[in-house]
């Protein structure tokens, strides 16, 4: 993909800083990139000309000395589309260059066959293009996020247990269908990129983002980058072997965290205890809130293992902060206390100083992550 | 500490490349550092003058074109001392700038009291200085590695269960006693730095080094650096909660990997099965080699949990290769097969492509790690 066609590594570095932190003064760009102020000015020039960046007099009247001209990004100059694929629907957003959402669109998925998903993604993208009108031509490309083992570099979904896919050349299929630049990514990794560039990562030296829901995923940001995994797999918190070895996971392995802690595992446990195979998650949550012992036990059992998984990750990687997000985070009151207790019990030494913060996430955030992944690739692949 | 007093970031980058990879042509330094060839030549000049680097005509007679002058490091121009502190002894080495060992020295430790350890480290350093003779003045400083939670930046050992230390201002105590620049580090992290700069990491994009012995540690190298942990803790593979929750670890937590898989846990299991509290590790190994079912079971139980711990790390961090090292690696035949089976059983998707390689390690390697940590700090803190 052509991306932003940035001229030199210095231009990439400068554009990245402004995109992430703007408005920002040239001197601060120089400090952060390690470039000289002259090199920053030289790098900014073509970006101003192309309308990607703006410089404006913004001197506070009380401030002495030369006027400071902070540089900011014209975030509407180019746009991105991000799409997330779920088991029953496809969710898409059109965003600015700073991944701010302009429009969003949902399409039901009748099946998770590759063809059905490609068609639903295409319908979503086309609906967003219609909403954008003339601005549709500013779209750099489409980022598409799915759960599972995604080989982003070669454009393959290697294995997605939830979609029941293996070795799907998803990127090429989408590119052929859409006629646009496409990047595919693991959904949690995409969410991490959104946090890295436009969220918690702008100021944190390292962080983890953990999503709790139908699956349990984790994106890790350390040493200046998201951990991609040498073979494209990393952050598979839901598949750490911390659970009972007699439980079999949807991935086929024994004792994965998800066998106890995924929302379907919790629901299954409550259904089984209540002898009610039709019980809904909403009802299970209501039971737990009403202190029903079986429902409370199911959430607590999940919480204990999630806390162990977070402690495992903190002991291995030692992030500065863990952001817990995901669909179930609205029910987080049901297990937050137990997660923290279990985390405290198993973190080693100062690893326990790692903060756990929670943030509710929506489907829109997942799609926005896909857009952020596309945006980052557009900048760095230049 | 003053380190090498390198003038600019470009000089640091160039010196680092030559230190890690030399002899290396200027054009390759340029390619690897992203500097222009002119900038490389400019950066090399003061290093040649100071005798840290050399340039020599090394053109193969059959090669056409301009003579290539590869740049190499005069590895004896400055020296380092590395010391590792164990429960019963202190082991030290004097090394070149490329962490090649010139001399080594051992001192018995009568106690692990802080004072006794400081004195033993000082005696070790002084013995090495005597061995170095006039070259002792070339010593940049002393790196000291201990197991546990080490705050390298502030020079504190925050907690070392094995030494029974907490909150010890070890760096300052050593500096005051020795009158030399001192850096302290976690022992496994120091070993990782040695691998990063002078071993497997020179060519691998990411790697993990796992040490199996009295403790089980892990150093992780990813995204261009060793993972230090935001609070100084990372790679605590021995304290992941993958073991039986009824076993209490030396660190006070329940279910740590070390409760089953440390060499003392294995020995304890065999002693208990054989009703022989005086059985030695050597005897336990002999029993296992002779297919004694109790001894075999103890090693296999350890192997299964080590494999799970390696899989956990691969699923989370996805290194390209895992190097298994440590004292017990000589007995590795006793559990290698089971480790690999357990690893294969629990790695998620392509994470299982991660290679496991084994290398026998000696006490000298640990001390050399401490020297490498000092050397890296000397270069980058300039």
């Amino acid at each position: 993909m052509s991306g932003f066609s940035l001229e030199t590594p210095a231009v990439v570095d400068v554009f990245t800083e402004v995109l992430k932190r703007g408005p920002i003064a040239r001197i601060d760009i120089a400090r952060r990139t390690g470039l000289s102020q002259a090199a920053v000015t030289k790098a900014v020039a073509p970006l101003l000309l192309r309308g990607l960046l703006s410089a404006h007099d913004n001197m506070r009247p009380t401030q002495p000395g030369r006027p400071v001209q902070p540089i900011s990004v014209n975030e509407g100059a180019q746009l991105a589309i991000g799409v997330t694929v779920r088991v029953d629907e496809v969710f898409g957003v059109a965003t600015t260059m700073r991944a701010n959402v302009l429009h969003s669109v949902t399409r039901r998925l009748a099946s998770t066959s590759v063809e059905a998903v490609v068609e639903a993604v295409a319908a979503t993208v086309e609906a967003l293009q219609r909403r954008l009108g003339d601005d549709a031509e500013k779209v750099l490309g489409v980022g598409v996020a799915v759960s599972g083992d995604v080989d982003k570099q070669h454009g393959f979904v290697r294995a997605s247990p939830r979609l029941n896919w293996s070795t799907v050349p998803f990127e090429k299929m989408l590119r052929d269908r859409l006629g646009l630049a496409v990047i595919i990514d693991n959904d949690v990794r995409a969410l991490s990129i959104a946090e890295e560039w436009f969220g918690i990562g702008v100021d944190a030296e390292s962080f983890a983002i953990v999503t709790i829901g139908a699956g349990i995923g984790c994106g890790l940001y350390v040493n200046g980058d998201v951990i991609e995994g040498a073979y494209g797999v990393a952050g598979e918190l839901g598949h750490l072997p911390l659970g009972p070895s007699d439980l079999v996971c949807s991935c086929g392995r024994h004792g994965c965290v998800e066998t106890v802690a995924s929302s379907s595992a919790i629901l299954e446990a409550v259904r089984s205890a209540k002898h009610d195979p039709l019980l809904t998650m909403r009802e299970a949550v209501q039971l737990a809130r009403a202190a029903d012992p079986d429902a409370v036990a199911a959430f607590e059992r999940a919480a204990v293992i999630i806390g162990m998984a977070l402690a495992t990750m903190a002991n291995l990687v030692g992030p500065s902060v863990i952001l817990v997000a995901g669909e179930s985070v609205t029910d987080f009151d049901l297990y937050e206390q137990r997660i923290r207790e279990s985390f405290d019990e198993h973190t080693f030494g100062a690893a326990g100083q790692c903060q756990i913060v929670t943030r509710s996430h929506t489907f829109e955030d997942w799609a926005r992550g896909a857009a952020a992944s596309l945006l980052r690739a557009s900048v760095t692949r230049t």
Side-chain angles (χ1 to χ4, degrees), chain A:
Chain A
M1 88 197 222
S2 62
F4 286 102
S5 303
L6 305 179
E7 289 82 356
T8 65
V11 176
V12 170
D13 289 352
V14 168
F15 185 59
T16 302
E17 280 305 315
V18 181
L19 197 56
K20 288 163 77 170
R21 297 172 191 279
I24 179 172
R26 283 183 176 85
I27 188 166
D28 293 324
I29 302 173
R31 190 172 51 78
R32 291 193 166 276
T33 55
L35 294 166
S36 68
Q37 281 201 65
V40 169
T41 296
K42 190 177 157 197
V44 164
L47 298 169
L48 295 174
L49 269 177
R50 287 170 57 193
L52 290 171
L53 303 184
S54 295
H56 22 208
D57 281 321
N58 197 20
M59 184 184 69
R60 276 177 262 154
T62 52
Q63 224 169 353
R66 285 207 315 166
V68 183
Q69 281 195 314
I71 310 293
S72 63
V73 69
N74 294 330
E75 58 177 307
Q78 300 261 254
L79 305 175
I81 287 177
V83 179
T84 184
V85 179
R86 314 190 61 80
V87 173
D88 52 358
E89 63 184 359
V90 164
F91 198 92
V93 294
T95 78
T96 68
M97 288 198 285
R98 282 183 46 80
N100 286 316
V101 174
L102 302 171
H103 303 285
S104 59
V105 158
T106 318
R107 284 284 174 276
R108 297 292 301 173
L109 258 185
S111 108
T112 60
S113 76
V114 177
E115 295 70 25
V117 171
V118 168
E119 282 312 309
V121 171
T124 304
V125 170
E126 285 155 11
L128 288 165
Q129 287 174 316
R130 280 193 298 277
R131 298 261 194 107
L132 287 168
D134 290 348
D135 283 344
E137 67 188 32
K138 296 181 180 170
V139 170
L140 283 158
V142 181
V144 182
V146 301
S147 75
D149 176 359
V150 178
D151 181 349
K152 181 178 183 172
Q153 205 186 337
H154 301 102
F156 275 79
V157 175
R158 280 191 293 223
S160 177
R162 213 132 5 112
L163 298 175
N164 199 21
W165 288 8
S166 78
T167 323
V168 173
F170 195 38
E171 182 188 300
K172 183 178 178 340
M173 293 178 78
L174 289 166
R175 208 171 49 227
D176 290 349
R177 177 66 180 77
L178 294 168
L180 286 167
V182 172
I183 192 154
I184 64 170
D185 207 342
N186 166 277
D187 53 1
V188 183
R189 224 160 40 194
L191 210 54
S192 310
I193 291 174
E195 290 295 337
E196 178 202 348
W197 275 42
F198 308 113
I200 203 169
V202 175
D203 294 310
E205 214 176 278
S206 59
F207 69 89
I209 175 164
V210 174
T211 60
I212 303 177
I216 293 168
C218 168
L220 290 160
Y221 177 88
V222 70
N223 290 342
D225 212 341
V226 172
I227 299 184
E228 302 269 358
Y231 307 99
V233 175
E236 288 293 349
L237 206 73
H239 300 282
L240 303 186
L242 293 163
S245 60
D246 56 329
L247 294 183
V248 180
C249 184
S250 63
C251 75
R253 290 169 194 82
H254 287 253
C256 292
V257 168
E258 288 186 7
T259 60
V260 174
S262 72
S263 51
S264 58
I266 295 172
L267 179 57
E268 209 42 64
V270 182
R271 280 177 174 172
S272 164
K274 294 290 156 204
H275 308 290
D276 178 357
L278 300 177
L279 192 91
T280 64
M281 192 64 185
R282 183 185 301 266
E283 288 163 340
V285 168
Q286 280 166 349
L287 283 170
R289 291 233 166 91
D292 174 90
D294 294 321
V296 167
F299 277 96
E300 289 197 344
R301 195 163 168 238
V304 167
I305 200 170
I306 291 170
M308 286 168 75
L310 298 184
T312 294
M313 185 255 286
N315 289 352
L316 274 181
V317 181
S320 155
V321 54
I322 298 173
L323 178 65
V324 177
E327 301 116 84
S328 296
V329 93
T330 44
D331 317 326
F332 204 64
D333 58 300
L334 289 175
Y335 34 21
E336 180 166 7
Q337 179 66 19
R338 273 294 163 105
I339 289 180
R340 289 185 191 273
E341 283 168 12
S342 172
F343 179 77
D344 289 343
E345 198 177 322
H346 293 292
T347 42
F348 183 78
Q353 292 174 30
C354 171
Q355 286 178 73
I356 301 178
V357 299
T358 58
R359 186 188 295 175
S360 83
H361 256 248
T362 63
F363 291 163
E364 191 168 285
D365 291 304
W366 292 98
R368 184 175 167 262
S373 180
L374 182 278
L375 284 161
R376 193 178 70 157
S378 300
V379 173
T380 53
R381 278 196 188 173
T382 288

